[in-house]
Amino acid sequence: MEKYLNVNLSPEERTQDLLSKMSLGEKMGQVNCLFPLGNTWDSLKEEAKYGIGQVSTLDMREIESLENAAAWQQKIQKMVMENSEHHIPAIFHMEGLCGPFIQDGISFPSGIGRGASWNPQLEEKVGQIVSRQELACGITQVLAPILDISRDSRMGRQGETYGEDPALAAAMGTAYTKGVQSGKTAGRRAESMAKHFLGFHNSQGGIHGSNCDIPDRLLDEVYGKPFQAAIREADLKGIMPCYCSINGEPLSASKKMLTGLLRDEMGFNGICGSDYTAVANVHDVQKIGESITEAGLLCMEAGMDVEMQNCVGYNEELKEWFRTGRADMKILDKAVMRVLEAKFRMGIFEHPFALEGEELRNAFFDEQDRKISLQSAMESMVLLKNNGALPLERDLKKIAVIGCHAKNARSFFGGYTHLSMVEAVYAVANSIAGMESGDVTRKNMLTVPGTQIQIDETEEFDAILKQQKPGCRCLLEELREKLPDVAITYEYGYPIAGNDLSHIDKALEAVKDADLVIMTLGGKHGSCSVASMGEGVDSTDINLPVCQDTFIRKAAEYGKPMIGIHFDGRPISSDAADTYLDAILEGWNPSECGAEAIVKVLLGEYNPGGKMPVSTAYNAGQIPIYYNHPNGSAYHQGESIGFKNYVNMPHTPRYFFGYGLSYTEFDYSDLKLDKKEVRPGEQIKIEVTVENKGSRDGDEVVQLYIRDSFASMTRPVKELAGFKRLTLKVGERKNVVFTMKASQCAFLDREMKWKIEKGEIEVQIGSSSEDIRLKDTFIITQDTWIQGRERDFYADCKVK
């Protein structure tokens, strides 16, 4: 038996043996990717003539049965292995943010919605489900979690993130990674490929993939924290760099970032794969390298192991450069070693093919999956305002439901869901990297009035939902099912964007005759020209559109109780909604269980407990706005010099980070620290009692913040250090115990070394970043310097 086929040897030993036997052609195959999307079978065979490192599974999105999706994987894997001299299988990769792109696969709420749950334990279960379903179909690399920090609601991909805070993203992303990488299905193990390393959402103008100017300290301390946490705490095995140039250098070609920071400092030892077309982007868009081949070599030398989704820079000319010695063969060997080690870790040499028949269905389906999706949807709901309109009274006679989202269940599915990615196929113009583009100014394109957004209210788009989720109810259907004795009328009212007021008068007639009004608000978080936000779909306007604000103001004249339910990938921001609505529920994109989750909240069957994972700006002029800003800046700037507000609005956000209401009330008491002095290598226990003082059972997210009272560098006004979502029955008390290590207080000093600095640390316990209920202090007794990867990222928590 060849050593590389011996399962008793380590992946490293097997890789060394196989690498020594491979031809140059077979090696180059391993750093390339096959993209079966509209290709003929002959062209695919030619592209993979020496085997292939990766296969994109985006084409699975249109396959209309689970069995055919599995057969598609088997067919391509068989071809790849037959073409490879040593029968090396390919890694099949698939997105995983909101579930697999496979027929009958489960769908989950958007990333920002799951961030609003503040529940890492639930997020780990989400990762486990995604992993299991994709593994059953032969997919071993999950392109998630999204570890980006988002401080800019203009950027269309805010809805993919866990929000603005590095500790929250670290805890949630680490949990998701553990879920993906913990299990085994059909003899295979999956690995996460986290996105988008690094600082992606700090792009200039909130424009997707544009230049970023980010100081090294901010890059490491804030944008790097979730990645470092997932590497250390969950052994993250995959990284996808962002498209941006940072400080004059494309991430995809930056040895400083992909080797110096990621591998040498952070300790990452997995695969680095390019975002789709990113290697070509380095040369064609960012104008790096005198040729595409030179750009490809720069990327590989920087630490980019695989070019996805097509071979452009890792090409035949580059192969000749390795053959002739113009390029150092060690560069290629290092990349190939990482790819092969991953394949051995994943178990695909022994189990390369998707399951089939009963084995496939038994592995793929689990009755608990929908329950987890429903729980995630319910926990994502954030109650932003409530003047007593919620929960609904049971003696209502007439309800008017207004808004295009209410009658269209597709509004529940955000960007990077299976549904939105199939919608992209029918979009007139593309905004997703790696796909063919289009022109939103085409004459034959029907648009939402006042916008360039393609109308999607057609049979071909409705057919996608019927195919994928035939039992998924819209909000209107769920309300009528749950309230059979209430007369519920519906009117379209207004579209997702723009200034079309032509439907308002008819909707106002419905308002006039109703006892209560439910409005669905927001845009379309999805893909390409049918979306108002998503990948490459950015906006300078982060507020509700004119048509929706206008309707709210006009409807308010009738004096009826009005409830707003918001759907989108960015938070609701509207003066009209704040002023006139009696209740506002932030629903994000709750996915296939969205209608059930929302109606349970409206009826009081579920008490909302979600908290805002981002600070909400009044308008785009406030951006960036985030709670953990440096001392003396943002809405604390007035402590220094100047007015405390803008001349036309507050410096403070509309809704603070961590904010969210409940149908009950929680009391905080008895803050206790187990010590007042802490050495750098020690930990401190912080205990608080929380009691449900209201009349309903409910969830509260207990939030721990720390503040460095005085330091040698400008530090944040406060930082999230830990959190715990807990359920309390009426009158129930629980003690929440945070265990925080002193290394969580570490920061980069003047010499850019990680320092645990002596001095006073203030402890804050609250229900939001602004609603602080209790405070105390402790002292770190001495200075100590550590490696950045050795620090801790969020406090452990137990409830007793």
Side-chain angles (χ1 to χ4, degrees):
M1 177 190 292
E2 299 278 6
K3 285 180 65 177
Y4 72 88
L5 296 175
N6 186 348
V7 296
N8 295 316
L9 297 179
S10 69
E12 292 79 9
E13 291 173 303
R14 297 175 74 181
T15 294
Q16 289 286 354
D17 180 62
L18 178 54
L19 185 65
S20 69
K21 296 175 168 62
M22 293 169 67
S23 68
L24 178 58
E26 201 173 20
K27 288 180 182 179
M28 284 297 294
Q30 294 307 300
V31 298
N32 268 294
C33 177
L34 201 63
F35 189 41
L37 191 72
N39 303 64
T40 65
W41 185 248
D42 288 341
S43 67
L44 291 176
K45 289 176 69 175
E46 175 62 23
E47 290 174 41
K49 61 185 175 183
Y50 297 110
I52 207 78
Q54 295 257 350
V55 175
S56 167
T57 60
L58 187 59
D59 215 24
M60 270 195 189
R61 63 183 169 169
E62 292 193 82
I63 299 176
E64 295 188 351
S65 77
L66 171 63
E67 290 74 14
N68 286 345
W72 180 91
Q73 189 274 350
Q74 293 171 347
K75 179 181 179 181
I76 293 175
Q77 184 74 287
K78 183 179 179 182
M79 178 268 289
V80 168
M81 293 176 68
E82 287 176 350
N83 285 0
S84 169
E85 180 183 354
H86 294 91
H87 308 294
I88 302 172
I91 294 171
F92 285 70
H93 67 250
M94 179 176 278
E95 301 292 345
L97 170 62
C98 299
F101 297 170
I102 303 169
Q103 178 64 35
D104 299 327
I106 197 73
S107 288
F108 294 102
S110 57
I112 199 168
R114 304 209 306 273
S117 77
W118 295 60
N119 191 341
Q121 291 75 31
L122 181 61
E123 188 67 0
E124 185 169 349
K125 293 178 182 178
V126 171
Q128 289 170 349
I129 293 169
V130 175
S131 176
R132 190 194 75 244
Q133 291 196 330
E134 294 194 5
L135 282 168
C137 293
I139 298 157
T140 56
Q141 192 172 67
V142 181
L143 305 187
I146 309 302
L147 298 181
D148 300 321
I149 299 301
S150 178
R151 294 173 165 181
D152 193 338
S153 292
R154 295 173 301 176
M155 206 227 198
R157 302 185 78 168
Q158 184 171 49
E160 298 175 24
T161 74
Y162 293 120
E164 73 181 42
D165 182 74
L168 177 61
M172 298 293 286
T174 296
Y176 181 95
T177 303
K178 286 180 178 178
V180 167
Q181 298 187 170
S182 62
K184 184 185 264 190
T185 300
R188 292 182 285 272
R189 291 188 181 277
E191 294 185 354
S192 276
M193 178 169 276
K195 304 193 288 186
H196 303 86
F197 190 83
L198 188 65
F200 183 41
H201 283 246
N202 198 38
S203 57
Q204 291 175 352
I207 299 170
H208 182 271
S210 68
N211 188 62
C212 302
D213 291 317
I214 310 176
D216 288 346
R217 183 171 285 104
L218 176 62
L219 203 63
D220 263 18
E221 290 184 351
V222 173
Y223 292 103
K225 185 173 182 174
F227 290 94
Q228 179 68 88
I231 291 166
R232 177 181 163 177
E233 303 291 337
D235 196 22
L236 173 70
K237 288 299 185 184
I239 287 287
M240 179 180 285
C242 68
Y243 292 106
C244 305
S245 285
I246 292 188
N247 302 328
E249 190 176 31
L251 252 293
S252 298
S254 174
K255 193 168 185 177
K256 173 185 176 182
M257 301 296 293
L258 299 186
T259 297
L261 177 60
L262 178 62
R263 296 189 184 276
D264 295 343
E265 291 186 32
M266 291 186 168
F268 176 71
N269 63 358
I271 287 184
C272 183
S274 79
D275 209 335
Y276 281 18
T277 73
V279 172
N281 210 57
V282 167
H283 179 69
D284 296 339
V285 178
Q286 292 157 318
K287 308 300 182 185
I288 300 294
E290 294 299 319
S291 68
I292 187 64
T293 305
E294 185 176 324
L297 179 59
L298 286 171
C299 292
M300 192 184 295
E301 186 177 19
M304 186 76 79
D305 302 313
V306 181
E307 179 183 12
M308 302 195 302
Q309 80 286 14
N310 287 321
C311 171
V312 179
Y314 292 11
N315 54 31
E316 286 293 316
E317 183 179 29
L318 183 57
K319 183 173 74 173
E320 286 303 307
W321 287 10
F322 286 122
R323 187 189 306 279
T324 62
R326 180 174 174 178
D328 189 346
M329 185 67 76
K330 291 179 181 177
I331 297 172
L332 176 60
D333 284 350
K334 187 178 291 186
V336 175
M337 283 179 64
R338 291 169 182 155
V339 172
L340 294 177
E341 284 179 11
K343 293 183 176 186
F344 286 123
R345 288 194 304 267
M346 293 169 175
I348 59 175
F349 273 82
E350 293 72 43
H351 305 281
F353 299 113
L355 295 173
E356 55 188 0
E358 281 302 305
E359 281 189 316
L360 172 62
R361 300 190 71 81
N362 289 340
F364 193 84
F365 293 105
D366 190 308
E367 63 181 13
Q368 296 299 313
D369 294 349
R370 189 182 185 279
K371 294 179 181 178
I372 296 300
S373 184
L374 175 60
Q375 183 184 352
S376 183
M378 291 191 298
E379 292 194 6
S380 74
M381 301 287 154
V382 185
L383 185 62
L384 296 173
K385 182 181 179 182
N386 189 18
N387 291 340
L390 291 177
L392 297 178
E393 298 291 341
R394 293 289 181 158
D395 59 353
L396 289 167
K397 302 299 182 184
K398 294 181 180 180
I399 296 177
V401 178
I402 312 295
C404 59
H405 307 83
K407 203 174 181 180
N408 184 354
R410 289 188 291 109
S411 62
F412 298 148
F413 297 84
Y416 276 85
T417 54
H418 185 196
L419 184 136
S420 78
M421 292 304 286
V422 176
E423 287 182 333
V425 175
Y426 298 93
V428 170
N430 168 68
S431 62
I432 299 175
M435 310 295 292
E436 291 185 4
S437 295
D439 181 5
V440 294
T441 62
R442 277 173 47 172
K443 299 289 186 183
N444 63 348
M445 176 178 169
L446 295 176
T447 60
V448 177
T451 77
Q452 290 188 323
I453 300 168
Q454 179 185 353
I455 289 177
D456 66 349
E457 296 159 358
T458 62
E459 290 183 3
E460 64 181 353
F461 286 100
D462 289 338
I464 300 170
L465 181 68
K466 291 176 183 176
Q467 166 64 34
Q468 288 190 13
K469 305 291 176 185
C472 183
R473 289 179 181 155
C474 68
L475 179 60
L476 182 63
E477 291 169 332
E478 188 74 15
L479 282 167
R480 286 174 171 165
E481 174 72 21
K482 294 295 177 65
L483 298 171
D485 298 327
V486 179
I488 299 176
T489 60
Y490 168 77
E491 290 295 339
Y492 179 84
Y494 37 76
I496 60 171
N499 55 9
D500 181 10
L501 306 180
S502 62
H503 304 274
I504 280 185
D505 289 343
K506 194 173 182 181
L508 289 173
E509 287 298 317
V511 170
K512 181 180 178 180
D513 294 336
D515 299 322
L516 177 135
V517 182
I518 296 176
M519 302 177 191
T520 61
L521 304 166
K524 165 74 171 174
H525 178 211
S527 302
C528 304
S529 55
V530 296
S532 62
M533 74 174 297
E535 181 177 349
V537 186
D538 311 313
S539 178
T540 61
D541 189 351
I542 65 167
N543 301 101
L544 289 185
V546 169
C547 57
Q548 296 181 19
D549 269 353
T550 301
F551 181 81
I552 291 171
R553 291 188 173 93
K554 287 183 176 293
E557 295 175 7
Y558 293 93
K560 303 297 178 70
M562 300 194 302
I563 297 166
I565 304 169
H566 184 251
F567 302 98
D568 218 333
R570 59 172 64 94
I572 184 173
S573 185
S574 164
D575 291 342
D578 279 353
T579 302
Y580 298 112
L581 296 186
D582 295 282
I584 302 173
L585 183 67
E586 181 59 79
W588 311 109
N589 297 106
S591 197
E592 62 187 78
C593 299
E596 183 177 354
I598 291 166
V599 173
K600 281 181 178 292
V601 170
L602 295 180
L603 297 180
E605 295 174 6
Y606 181 81
N607 189 348
K611 301 284 188 174
M612 291 301 291
V614 291
S615 303
T616 306
Y618 278 90
N619 64 36
Q622 283 186 297
I623 292 172
I625 186 168
Y626 50 95
Y627 86 94
N628 53 345
H629 48 264
N631 283 308
S633 63
Y635 44 93
H636 291 86
Q637 175 270 348
E639 298 168 1
S640 172
I641 188 171
F643 295 119
K644 291 188 176 181
N645 293 302
Y646 294 107
V647 295
N648 59 340
M649 69 175 57
H651 282 162
T652 52
R654 188 184 295 274
Y655 306 118
F656 288 92
F657 174 80
Y659 169 79
L661 301 175
S662 173
Y663 296 154
T664 191
E665 296 178 3
F666 299 97
D667 181 71
Y668 288 68
S669 62
D670 300 327
L671 176 59
K672 299 174 185 175
L673 279 57
D674 73 337
K675 60 185 70 172
K676 296 293 287 183
E677 292 189 350
V678 182
R679 290 194 292 268
E682 291 183 336
Q683 63 188 29
I684 183 171
K685 290 185 183 295
I686 301 164
E687 184 172 347
V688 64
T689 301
V690 184
E691 181 178 2
N692 184 345
K693 300 279 263 187
S695 59
R696 289 178 178 268
D697 299 347
D699 287 6
E700 172 69 329
V701 178
V702 183
Q703 300 166 41
L704 166 66
Y705 295 89
I706 57 173
R707 183 178 70 88
D708 197 331
S709 298
F710 296 94
S712 59
M713 305 297 297
T714 305
R715 302 297 300 141
V717 294
K718 66 181 66 178
E719 296 178 276
L720 183 69
F723 57 91
K724 181 64 178 179
R725 183 169 183 141
L726 70 159
T727 302
L728 291 171
K729 296 179 181 178
V730 174
E732 186 177 13
R733 294 162 58 98
K734 289 183 180 178
N735 290 343
V736 179
V737 183
F738 294 102
T739 301
M740 192 188 94
K741 295 181 179 178
S743 66
Q744 272 189 249
C745 301
F747 59 86
L748 290 165
D749 68 5
R750 287 186 175 89
E751 283 72 46
M752 295 299 291
K753 296 178 181 178
W754 286 96
K755 181 183 183 182
I756 305 173
E757 188 170 83
K758 67 180 180 181
E760 181 183 81
I761 303 295
E762 182 177 83
V763 172
Q764 304 178 1
I765 297 284
S767 187
S768 81
S769 62
E770 194 69 10
D771 183 10
I772 300 300
R773 308 289 181 87
L774 301 166
K775 294 182 180 181
D776 204 342
T777 61
F778 67 89
I779 299 292
I780 296 177
T781 59
Q782 65 188 70
D783 294 336
T784 297
W785 286 263
I786 61 173
Q787 294 295 316
R789 70 175 78 172
E790 296 174 358
R791 73 194 194 278
D792 283 80
F793 310 99
Y794 44 85
D796 292 331
C797 186
K798 292 184 179 179
V799 178
K800 62 180 184 180

